[in-house]
Amino acid sequence: SFPHSCSTLGGKIAALCDSFTSKSLKEHVFPPLIDMLIYFNFFKAPFLVDLKKPELKIPHTVNFYLRVEPGVMLGIWHTVPSCREEDAKGKDRCWYEAALRDGNPIIVYLHGSAQHRAASHRLKLVKVLSDGGFHVLSVDYRGFGDSTGKPTEEGLTTDAIRVYEWTKARSGITPVCLWGHSLGTGVATNAAKVLEEKGCPVDAIVLEAPFTNMWVASINYPLLKIYRNVPGFLRTFMDAMRKDKIVFPNDENVKFLSSPLLILHGEDDRTVPLEYGKKLYEIAHNAYRNKERVKMVIFPPGFQHNLLCKSPTLLITVRDFLSKQWS
C-alpha cells in the first residue's frame, strides 16, 4: 500500500542518515579523496578521442574489449610490430589475435594514474616499442578510459592478471612481459606475485619509475607535501589508505619474484624520485637468488617522469636485457 511504501522509504532514509551521522566528516571525505588522488581516473584526457578508433592516433593498432569479471569490461589497444604494418592493413581483430603467435615478443603495458591509453606520452612509448619489434597491449584498467567498473587495488591487480593470462593463452611460445609505469609498477608486481604463487611466473617484468610502496610515495607526492605539517593530516591520510586497502607494496612483492626484472628510472624524476627506484632495486637484488635476473638502468636528466620513451638508449636497453634473459 502507499502508506506502507512511504513508511519503508522513510525507514531507508533514516538508516542512511544514521549511517552518515555515525561517521566523522573525515571518514566521509578522506577515502573518496584518496581514491581521487591515487587513481585520478576521472581525468580522462585527451578529450574527444574515439577510443574505438585507435587508427586515428597510431597505425597498425586494433581496439578490443576484454571481460575480466561480471560488470568489468576493459578497453585495450593491440599494436603490432611496425615490421608487420603492411600485413595489418585492413585486418580485423581475429588477425591481430592470431598475430600474437608470430614470434615477436609481447608487452602488456600497465600505465600510471590519470588519462587513458591514448595519452600522448603513452603513445610515444608504444611507437618506440612497436618500431623495436614488440607487440604492445595497452590496457585501460577498470574505471579508466572507456573501461567499466571502479578502480581499487584488488581490481586493478585482477585486470592485469586476466590480461596477462589471456595473452599467454594466445601467444604460443612467444614471451610476454609485464611493463608497469608509475602506478602501473604496483599493479605489475601485485599481478606478478599472484602469478608466481600460482606456479606461473611471468616471462619478464619492466618497472618504469617505480616506488617502494604507495604509502611512502603518496606522502611525498608534490600535491600533498604542503599538507604534511597540518596537525593530524598524516594519521588521517594513512587511516584512509588502510581503509581503502591501498598499498601497492612493490618493496614486499619483489621479495617473492623470480622473473627477470628490469628497473628503469630517470635522474630528474620529481614525481617518483630516483631514490625510490634505487631502494627497490636494492631490495630485489638482495632477495633474488639469481642476481643476473635483476638490473637497474638510470637515465640522465631530461626525461623526467613520463618521457623515458624519448631516450635514444631506451629500446636497446630493454631489448638487450630481455634477449639475454630469454635466450
Side-chain angles (χ1 to χ4, degrees):
S1 65
F2 182 74
H4 176 72
S5 298
C6 288
S7 175
T8 302
L9 179 60
K12 289 182 178 179
I13 293 173
L16 286 172
C17 287
D18 287 343
S19 173
F20 189 89
T21 56
S22 66
K23 297 179 181 179
S24 66
L25 180 61
K26 70 179 182 182
E27 289 179 289
H28 287 289
V29 172
F30 258 80
L33 178 63
I34 297 304
D35 282 350
M36 183 182 75
L37 291 172
I38 298 299
Y39 303 117
F40 227 73
N41 60 303
F42 66 90
F43 184 59
K44 298 183 182 291
F47 307 107
L48 304 178
V49 172
D50 188 348
L51 293 172
K52 294 183 176 65
K53 297 180 179 179
E55 66 276 7
L56 299 178
K57 287 289 181 179
I58 186 167
H60 43 88
T61 299
V62 71
N63 177 70
F64 70 98
Y65 296 94
L66 184 65
R67 184 175 181 269
V68 295
E69 62 186 34
V72 179
M73 193 80 74
L74 305 184
I76 303 171
W77 283 1
H78 175 190
T79 304
V80 297
S82 294
C83 61
R84 303 214 60 189
E85 181 172 4
E86 288 301 316
D87 298 335
K89 286 182 177 177
K91 299 300 195 301
D92 59 12
R93 177 190 164 183
C94 292
W95 180 89
Y96 277 80
E97 192 172 309
L100 291 170
R101 290 178 174 266
D102 66 8
N104 290 301
I106 304 163
I107 287 174
V108 174
Y109 178 63
L110 306 170
H111 63 63
S113 59
Q115 302 185 283
H116 48 63
R117 58 194 185 276
S120 62
H121 62 283
R122 292 165 189 161
L123 293 182
K124 286 173 185 173
L125 176 63
V126 171
K127 187 177 187 310
V128 167
L129 294 173
S130 174
D131 289 347
F134 292 93
H135 288 269
V136 185
L137 298 179
S138 303
V139 183
D140 267 329
Y141 319 110
R142 62 188 67 197
F144 285 77
D146 57 351
S147 298
T148 59
K150 179 181 181 296
T152 62
E153 179 167 352
E154 182 180 3
L156 268 60
T157 301
T158 297
D159 295 344
I161 293 168
R162 296 291 179 267
V163 175
Y164 181 83
E165 291 178 333
W166 180 92
T167 306
K168 284 294 291 181
R170 289 155 179 78
S171 63
I173 60 172
T174 304
V176 181
C177 170
L178 286 180
W179 181 310
H181 172 243
S182 197
L183 170 68
T185 65
V187 180
T189 66
N190 274 356
K193 183 187 176 189
V194 173
L195 289 163
E196 186 94 28
E197 290 169 346
K198 285 183 175 183
C200 306
V202 302
D203 296 331
I205 307 163
V206 175
L207 302 180
E208 180 189 355
F211 45 83
T212 47
N213 62 72
M214 189 57 78
W215 292 5
V216 173
S218 295
I219 61 175
N220 288 286
Y221 191 61
L223 280 175
L224 296 177
K225 278 186 177 180
I226 58 175
Y227 297 106
R228 285 170 60 178
N229 294 325
V230 175
F233 175 80
L234 282 182
R235 180 176 178 180
T236 305
F237 184 86
M238 287 307 195
D239 286 347
M241 294 273 281
R242 291 187 187 95
K243 182 178 177 62
D244 277 11
K245 298 179 181 178
I246 299 174
V247 187
F248 292 105
N250 283 331
D251 49 359
E252 289 301 316
N253 289 338
V254 295
K255 296 176 183 178
F256 300 94
L257 304 181
S258 63
S259 304
L261 175 64
L262 175 62
I263 296 175
L264 310 172
H265 221 123
E267 244 183 83
D268 59 352
D269 189 334
R270 295 180 181 176
T271 304
V272 181
L274 174 60
E275 63 187 274
Y276 296 159
K278 286 182 173 179
K279 180 63 177 176
L280 187 64
Y281 169 73
E282 180 186 333
I283 293 169
H285 190 262
N286 288 337
Y288 267 62
R289 291 183 179 179
N290 185 348
K291 307 301 183 186
E292 292 185 0
R293 289 205 145 200
V294 188
K295 183 177 182 179
M296 181 174 189
V297 177
I298 299 171
F299 291 79
F303 307 109
Q304 301 178 335
H305 185 62
N306 288 331
L307 297 174
L308 288 187
C309 55
K310 289 188 174 184
S311 169
T313 63
L314 175 67
L315 183 61
I316 191 68
T317 296
V318 173
R319 284 200 67 90
D320 280 358
F321 177 78
L322 293 180
S323 59
K324 180 180 178 183
Q325 298 297 326
W326 291 339
S327 61

